[in-house]
Amino acid sequence: MTTYTNDPTLPTPSFPGSHMVIDDRYVFISGLTVSDLSNGEAARGDVKEETHLVMRAIARMLEMENGSVADILRVDIHLTNLKTIHDLDSVYAEFFEPGRYPARTCTESPNICGGCHVEITVMATRQLPKEQ
């Protein structure tokens, strides 16, 4: 069964979509920016700050579904300036076990919603609750 859900700790999306779509095998998380986390108001910073905030939100959303960042299979990243990829990578790598990084695409997108520098989309394996 597929469910379409929004993270109750985040503002309701301003677009016609869901924060997460969950089926029997996967958790799909829509592209997140710091603008999505703060209802478009504040929290914009440099690439490192934005990456840290978005990755923490993704980790929390996966934990809501009994998972973790270790379950991430694929990541799509959009940067307003591809020259900042090393700044992004310095934070992004902290969230994963060395040598166990998800498949990834990183592109330059000069006009990310909310004037943010980073947008991250995730596909993760779904961890089913353990039977007791």
Side-chain angles (χ1 to χ4, degrees):
M1 172 182 237
T2 302
T3 58
Y4 303 81
T5 187
N6 291 317
D7 181 332
T9 68
L10 296 180
T12 302
S14 60
F15 57 89
S18 303
H19 289 136
M20 294 186 288
V21 175
I22 303 152
D23 70 10
D24 294 338
R25 298 186 61 201
Y26 301 104
V27 176
F28 300 91
I29 299 178
S30 289
L32 287 178
T33 67
V34 292
S35 182
D36 296 319
L37 306 180
S38 63
N39 206 19
E41 294 304 316
R44 283 182 227 115
D46 65 19
V47 170
K48 288 183 177 185
E49 292 171 310
E50 290 187 20
T51 301
H52 189 258
L53 290 169
V54 170
M55 288 300 296
R56 278 187 25 210
I58 289 168
R60 185 183 40 71
M61 292 168 82
L62 291 171
E63 288 169 7
M64 290 171 38
E65 294 301 317
N66 301 309
S68 74
V69 293
D71 300 317
I72 297 175
L73 301 173
R74 178 171 173 71
V75 177
D76 292 316
I77 299 173
H78 303 280
L79 292 169
T80 55
N81 182 349
L82 205 50
K83 292 178 182 174
T84 62
I85 194 168
H86 298 296
D87 291 334
L88 172 125
D89 284 342
S90 69
V91 175
Y92 175 87
E94 295 174 9
F95 286 85
F96 300 99
E97 181 182 326
R100 294 188 52 91
Y101 302 109
R104 183 176 105 174
T105 300
C106 190
T107 63
E108 185 171 282
S109 302
N111 296 309
I112 295 175
C113 288
C116 299
H117 301 325
V118 178
E119 181 174 15
I120 301 175
T121 305
V122 167
M123 175 185 172
T125 301
R126 182 172 182 218
Q127 298 299 316
L128 299 176
K130 295 180 182 176
E131 293 184 31
Q132 298 178 349

